[in-house]
Amino acid sequence: MTDKPKAASALSSRPAQSTRAKPDAAPTFGAGRIALAAVVVIAIIGVAWLAVTLTRFFMLVFAAIVLGAIFDAIAGWLVRRTKMKRGFALAGSVVGIIAIFTGAFVLFGSQLASEVDTIREQVPRALQGVEAFLDRYGLGTRVRELAEVGGNDISQLVSQAGGYALAAGSGIADFVLVLVAAIFLASDPATYRRGLLLLMPAKAEKTASLALDDAARGLKGWMVGQAVSSLVVAALTGAGLALLGVPAAGGLGLIAGLLDVIPMIGPIIAGIPAVLLAFTVSPATALWTLVLFLVIQQLQGNFLQPMIQKQAVDVPPAVLLFAVVAAGVLFGFLGVLLAAPLTVVVYVLVQRVYVKTLLGKDIKIAGAD
């Protein structure tokens, strides 16, 4: 009789022990989750910090990819037209691009150097004429104040010439790095494509392959449209400056065509040396040169560029405009230079990866047949 109560009491005590063990396990599980969440947060912050720190590196890599795509497209065209070996075609494309840039700036630089004395004489006279004209309307005092402020800024820039020289040297080093990397990428693009796809999960490999095809097609479309636009701008600028009698009209036209790759800002940069050389002819010629660049910019920005890009890659103009501003704020001049191709690539990747794959919407990818 006495054994049964003891056994019952022993059995009844066991659940009590297991019940007391459950609360002890809960804090351990919660601490593990907190530690895991902390590690994830630290990892995200570290990756974000690393991405921000390496933004210039990523932009240089993208510049090499764009330049390599240009070399590859020209080499492919030469192979199809002339049946030459790809190595010779690639070497010809590299030499041709470098020759165009070098020839344009050498032609312009030699003409500018020969006209330095004339510019030194003509520009002050022209400024005096403009100042006298403004004095008639009571605006001369304000302009002189602005000129004094500008003169102080220029003196500060001259005093910092050493720093700018170092920056120019760094820019040349970056250009050489991008050029060499672009040649390597263009020489065997399939190897780098396979290597990138191997890093993708098996489920995402097909989408990644299609996204790379979309990006390559988008870059090719942008290159075709930009090449046509640059040729038209170079021809119109060179012909217009020649009719106005501006020295080095051919070199200035080539520079305007090359700088057309920079949306909105490129024509302004190209117009400064043209107006400067136009002063060597007369102030009126400088004024007409300014009008010429404004007309070409309006024609290129409002008619030619949207029409060409509409046929090549259907990127809305407003998207491109805000992309240029954002790239300039985030990445500086290099971002502005690469804003157009970067926008094209991001645009088609968003369409392929996010809209078409993740959201499952049936859309036509920009630039697709």
Side-chain angles (χ1 to χ4, degrees), residues 90 92 95 120 163-164 169 173 190 204 271 273 332:
L90 180 60
V95 172
R120 195 175 298 168
Y164 294 123

Side-chain angles (χ1 to χ4, degrees), residues 41-335:
V41 170
I42 293 174
I44 293 175
I45 294 175
V47 171
W49 174 83
L50 186 63
V52 172
T53 305
L54 296 177
T55 50
R56 181 174 179 81
F57 168 76
F58 292 140
M59 293 303 294
L60 291 177
V61 171
F62 183 74
I65 293 173
V66 172
L67 188 57
I70 294 174
F71 290 156
D72 181 65
I74 297 175
W77 181 82
L78 289 175
V79 169
R80 290 191 301 269
R81 293 291 182 178
T82 63
K83 306 300 181 182
M84 69 171 62
K85 293 183 178 180
R86 179 175 172 78
F88 292 108
L90 180 60
S93 65
V94 174
V95 172
I97 292 293
I98 295 177
I100 291 174
F101 276 89
T102 304
F105 286 100
V106 167
L107 179 62
F108 163 71
S110 61
Q111 187 66 48
L112 181 62
S114 64
E115 299 287 350
V116 167
D117 293 336
T118 307
I119 293 173
R120 195 175 298 168
E121 295 175 0
Q122 290 286 346
V123 172
R125 295 178 185 176
L127 292 178
Q128 290 175 2
V130 173
E131 186 177 348
F133 174 79
L134 294 174
D135 282 334
R136 299 175 191 173
Y137 298 93
L139 299 175
T141 302
R142 179 59 179 166
V143 172
R144 279 190 289 269
E145 292 176 355
L146 292 176
E148 291 178 359
V149 174
N152 294 332
D153 293 338
I154 292 174
S155 63
Q156 292 178 2
L157 292 177
V158 172
S159 65
Q160 298 174 355
Y164 294 123
L166 292 176
S170 176
I172 294 173
D174 290 342
F175 173 76
V176 173
L177 175 64
V178 169
L179 178 62
V180 174
I183 295 173
F184 285 142
L185 290 172
S187 62
D188 191 10
T191 299
Y192 300 98
R193 176 189 173 92
R194 287 195 303 269
L196 183 60
L197 291 178
L198 287 175
L199 299 176
M200 299 294 170
K203 294 182 179 179
E205 187 172 347
K206 182 179 179 181
T207 301
S209 178
L210 293 174
L212 289 177
D213 293 337
D214 296 331
R217 187 170 51 248
L219 276 179
K220 183 178 179 181
W222 169 79
M223 285 187 291
V224 172
Q226 187 59 59
V228 175
S229 177
S230 295
L231 288 174
V232 173
V233 169
L236 292 177
T237 303
L241 293 177
L243 290 175
L244 292 174
V246 178
L252 290 169
L254 284 175
I255 290 175
L258 294 174
L259 291 177
D260 183 63
V261 72
I262 306 177
M264 295 166 290
I265 301 176
I268 298 175
I269 301 175
I272 294 174
V275 173
L276 192 62
L277 279 176
F279 268 116
T280 63
V281 180
S282 68
T285 304
L287 179 61
W288 281 112
T289 300
L290 180 61
V291 173
L292 172 68
F293 271 86
L294 290 176
V295 171
I296 293 176
Q297 183 182 14
Q298 292 300 315
L299 175 65
Q300 189 267 352
N302 297 323
F303 175 73
L304 184 63
Q305 190 75 14
M307 182 182 66
I308 294 174
Q309 294 297 342
K310 185 78 173 179
Q311 300 298 324
V313 179
D314 189 12
V315 179
V319 173
L320 183 60
L321 172 64
F322 288 116
V324 172
V325 176
V329 172
L330 293 175
F331 310 117
F333 177 76
L334 187 60

